[in-house]
């Protein structure tokens, strides 16, 4: 059934999204927005965090109005149930990032052992730096030897009980002292996740405060552990991102080229596809089939990884993944893991698109499974690109609709190294700009899309307000793609910033919104914040910084928000987390935690109000610093 203009505009602010929502409806597709409508009203107990199915005496639920049951069969009350549910969300998010990191460590080791043809060490500089942090001397060792030693040392971080994770060496001393005092210093990556699953089993930890404290430790094991390893090893294997121009929106899919779309999170597969797409033999085959080339485009964070290092254009963010298929132009979609809607395979059956899954831990209905292993990734990538090229001539002309809008230009690649490079090698100029008030502060606007919120509206509205008020925005994930689509990631967007930020951006030739990467790359923001605090001899929580996730949906976002707050960064969430069934937990996380960590959470669905709260927070931090 066709959608009305009002229905379409209520779903997304994006021009391409509006066109392809109608195209999808014409083609009879059911999208994420349709399925969300069909689920309404969603379960109020679950929304409040008051339902539990942790054992088979249940499922149980607590009546939020006080008229029905106030305890589950085991006796757990609202506070215990909410804390346990939140703990399990953190554990799932931390496990996802950290397992992604472990897969990269495996490739690093195999590269060193000579068992991963096609992969190489692209940044010996970072290999040596990180090896030194792990206490491994580089003297006289080949990069291959160093890679093996570092991989083994990193593998130890996952399972072994340690006093503290290695990357905590970058954390300001004041922050480390806070964690030690609270007993939340993360000891081992898998250890904290495993302990969370244990604590939330029936009859283990039934103190809601103790559960929440372990939740923070579990999240820190992600932020300063699993995700940190993922980002650093990706840089070692695939290169440290540097500023690179690119384009974004569904217009990047080319009518006259073979389009291969890469979706998911881990660059291990997509980097090999990138190499294979340059193969002269496959390019010649594409030409034989009548195509003018092989065009790669990204979705979600696999797209962000390729964008940051290779400038590969982005087709879109999370809510565009189904709509990308409805162009009829995708000859192959290759997925790895995370945020890949199980509906995608069935949607693709309406078109000629070949859907390919690549990880043994992420299989999907209506997708052909082609497993990637480091040993055979190079030949597998060539096989898949060949299949995509051969599929080009099977397009269904009646189903094809190229995007009517031209792609929006953007700039990505702002790793910490690139930002410090643009500043002349040290954070001093940024600190001076903050001290002078030209830049009032910095905010990480990160996270997903969620059909509960008009697509991209939360991100773009919040960010426009912040930059207008001289607040530098750094971003990652699907938020970064939203900002790029809105034209905020080109140097000319400095004209939209306040006078101080505008001046800084113009003098450095950078946009007011800096793309720092994928979801695991939120640790680049942590790393930059820690570098600023260390340069000033202070704590992260003293700086005029904040974070926001206006449209988050994922358990990974819960872990990210928790490690941001635990690291001392005030964090505003746009969609309410399932904690409102426990007024005590809401009070702790939004008020009392400030006294423990120097940072707290806020929940504010209205992005204009969220901007006002963040601006007020930044003013307070500046005042406390005497600025
Ligand atoms: S753990 Fe307790 S509250 Fe949860 S399902 Fe079992 S009995 Fe019910
Ligand atoms: S930002 Fe959220 S939706 Fe987007 S790729 Fe990351 S976790 Fe998935």
């Amino acid at each position: 059934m066709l959608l009305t203009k009002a229905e379409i505009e209520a779903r997304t602010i994006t021009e391409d999204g509006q066109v392809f929502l109608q195209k999808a409806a014409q083609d009879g597709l059911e999208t994420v927005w349709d399925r969300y409508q069909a689920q309404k009203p969603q379960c109020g107990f679950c929304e409040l965090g008051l339902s539990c199915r942790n054992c088979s005496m249940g499922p149980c639920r607590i009546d939020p109005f006080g008229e029905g049951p106030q305890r589950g069969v085991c006796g757990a009350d609202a506070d215990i149930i909410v804390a346990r549910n939140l703990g399990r969300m953190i554990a799932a998010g931390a496990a996802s990032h950290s397992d992604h990191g472990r897969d990269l460590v495996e490739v690093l080791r195999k590269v060193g052992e000579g068992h991963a043809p096609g992969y190489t060490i692209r940044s010996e500089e970072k290999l040596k730096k990180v090896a030194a942090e792990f206490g491994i001397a580089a003297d006289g060792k080949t990069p291959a030897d160093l890679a093996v030693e570092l991989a083994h040392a990193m593998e130890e971080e996952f399972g072994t009980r340690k006093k503290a994770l290695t990357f905590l060496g970058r954390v300001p001393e004041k922050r480390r002292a806070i964690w030690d005092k609270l007993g939340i210093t993360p000891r081992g990556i898998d250890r904290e996740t495993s302990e969370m699953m244990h604590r939330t089993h029936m009859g283990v930890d039934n103190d809601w405060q103790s559960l929440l404290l372990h939740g923070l430790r579990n999240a820190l094991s992600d932020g300063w552990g699993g995700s940190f390893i993922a980002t650093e090893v990706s840089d070692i294997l695939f290169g440290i991102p540097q500023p690179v121009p690119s384009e974004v929106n569904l217009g990047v899919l080319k009518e006259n080229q073979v389009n291969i779309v890469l979706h998911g999170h881990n660059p291990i597969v997509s980097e090999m596809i990138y190499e294979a797409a340059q193969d002269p033999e496959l390019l010649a085959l594409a030409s034989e089939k009548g195509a003018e080339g092989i065009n790669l485009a990204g979705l979600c964070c696999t797209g962000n990884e390729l964008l940051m290092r290779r400038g590969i254009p982005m087709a879109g963010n999370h809510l565009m993944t189904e709509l990308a298929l409805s162009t009829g132009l995708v000859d192959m979609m290759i997925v790895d893991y995370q945020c890949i809607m199980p509906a995608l395979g069935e949607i693709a059956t309406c078109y000629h698109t070949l859907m390919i899954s690549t990880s043994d831990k992420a299989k999907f209905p209506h997708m052909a499974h082609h497993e990637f292993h480091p040993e055979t990734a190079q030949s597998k990538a060539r096989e898949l690109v060949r299949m995509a090229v051969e599929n080009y001539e099977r397009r269904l002309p009646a189903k094809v609709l190229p995007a009517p809008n031209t792609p929006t230009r953007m700039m990505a690649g702002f790793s910490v190294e690139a930002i410090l490079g643009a500043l002349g090698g040290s954070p001093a100029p940024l600190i001076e700009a903050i001290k002078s008030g030209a830049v009032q502060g910095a905010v990480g606007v990160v996270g997903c899309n969620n059909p509960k919120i008009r697509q991209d509206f939360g991100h773009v509205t919040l960010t426009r307000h912040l930059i207008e008020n001289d607040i530098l925005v750094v971003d990652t994930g699907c938020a970064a793609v939203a900002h790029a689509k809105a034209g905020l990631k080109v140097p000319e967007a400095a004209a939209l910033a306040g006078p101080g930020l505008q001046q800084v951006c113009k003098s450095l030739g950078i946009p007011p919104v800096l793309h720092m990467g994928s979801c695991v790359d939120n640790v680049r923001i942590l790393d930059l914040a820690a570098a600023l605090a260390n340069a000033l001899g202070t704590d992260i929580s003293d700086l005029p910084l904040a974070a926001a996730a206006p449209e988050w949906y994922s358990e990974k976002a819960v872990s990210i928000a928790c490690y941001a707050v635990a690291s001392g960064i005030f964090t505003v969430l746009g969609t309410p987390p399932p904690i409102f069934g426990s007024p005590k937990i809401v009070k702790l996380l939004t008020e009392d935690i400030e006294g423990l960590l120097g940072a707290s959470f806020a929940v504010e669905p209205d992005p204009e109000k969220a901007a006002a709260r963040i601006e007020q927070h930044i003013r307070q931090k500046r005042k406390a610093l005497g600025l």
Side-chain angles (χ1 to χ4, degrees), residues 181-197:
K181 192 169 164 215
L182 288 172
I184 59 169
T185 298
R187 302 155 294 181
I189 297 167
D190 291 346
R191 175 188 164 85
E192 308 305 0
T193 294
S194 176
E195 185 171 316
M196 177 56 86
M197 296 310 287

Side-chain angles (χ1 to χ4, degrees), residues 288-547:
E288 256 175 55
K289 301 282 173 193
E292 290 176 18
I294 301 172
N295 179 44
L296 302 187
L299 285 170
C300 286
C301 283
T302 286
N304 279 322
E305 296 276 356
L306 278 175
L307 166 69
M308 288 286 283
R309 297 192 179 85
R310 316 271 169 248
I312 294 297
M314 285 295 283
N317 47 6
H318 184 51
L319 289 189
M320 298 306 288
T321 56
E322 294 171 318
L323 299 186
L325 293 172
S326 75
T327 60
L329 288 171
V330 181
D331 300 300
M332 177 177 281
M333 183 182 280
I334 302 174
V335 307
D336 48 89
Y337 43 55
Q338 299 170 15
C339 301
I340 296 145
M341 289 190 233
L344 281 174
E346 187 169 350
I347 285 183
T349 60
C350 292
Y351 307 95
H352 76 301
T353 308
L354 292 174
M355 298 295 291
I356 308 292
S357 57
T358 55
S359 167
D360 64 343
K361 50 192 147 197
K363 296 182 179 173
F364 299 85
H366 302 285
M367 289 198 196
H369 190 65
H370 287 258
E371 203 153 306
F372 264 64
H373 296 282
E375 294 83 350
T376 53
Q378 195 173 38
S379 55
K380 178 56 80 178
R382 286 207 190 107
E383 179 191 336
L384 291 183
V385 173
R386 178 179 292 277
M387 285 164 61
V389 169
E390 282 166 355
N391 199 35
Y392 174 75
E393 52 193 8
R394 294 190 201 110
R395 278 191 196 165
L396 306 170
K399 293 269 179 82
V400 167
L401 178 66
N405 51 340
T406 50
T408 306
R409 286 186 304 114
M410 67 179 297
M411 193 187 253
F414 290 95
S415 57
V416 175
E417 291 84 347
I419 292 173
L420 294 181
L423 294 169
S426 99
L430 181 56
I431 292 170
E432 282 314 310
I434 292 173
K435 280 185 179 164
S436 75
V439 174
Q440 292 286 310
V443 178
V445 181
V446 307
C448 325
N449 289 143
N450 185 326
K452 293 178 175 176
I453 295 181
R454 194 177 173 207
Q455 189 202 7
D456 291 0
F457 177 75
H459 300 305
V460 174
T461 310
L462 171 66
T463 293
R464 279 181 181 273
H465 275 277
L466 295 176
I467 62 172
E468 274 167 18
N469 285 284
D470 287 326
I471 295 168
L472 176 71
V473 170
V474 292
D475 60 8
T476 59
C478 290
V481 183
H483 298 147
K485 282 185 271 177
L488 301 177
K489 296 174 93 77
V490 282
E492 303 89 292
L496 302 169
L501 179 59
Q502 195 171 127
Q503 190 55 41
V504 171
C505 291
K506 282 185 177 162
S507 67
L508 297 172
I510 58 169
V513 183
L514 302 181
H515 196 324
M516 293 192 78
S518 63
C519 313
V520 291
D521 291 339
N522 281 310
V523 303
R524 296 191 200 274
I525 301 177
L526 281 188
D527 200 17
L528 184 61
L532 290 175
N534 286 330
L536 286 164
T538 189
D539 190 6
I540 296 172
S541 63
D542 296 328
L543 302 175
L545 305 178

Side-chain angles (χ1 to χ4, degrees), residues 52-60 72-76 81 84 202:
C52 180
R53 50 170 187 77
N54 287 9
C55 83
S56 79
M57 291 191 287
C60 305
V73 176
C74 68
I81 289 177
R84 283 197 309 217
M202 203 298 279

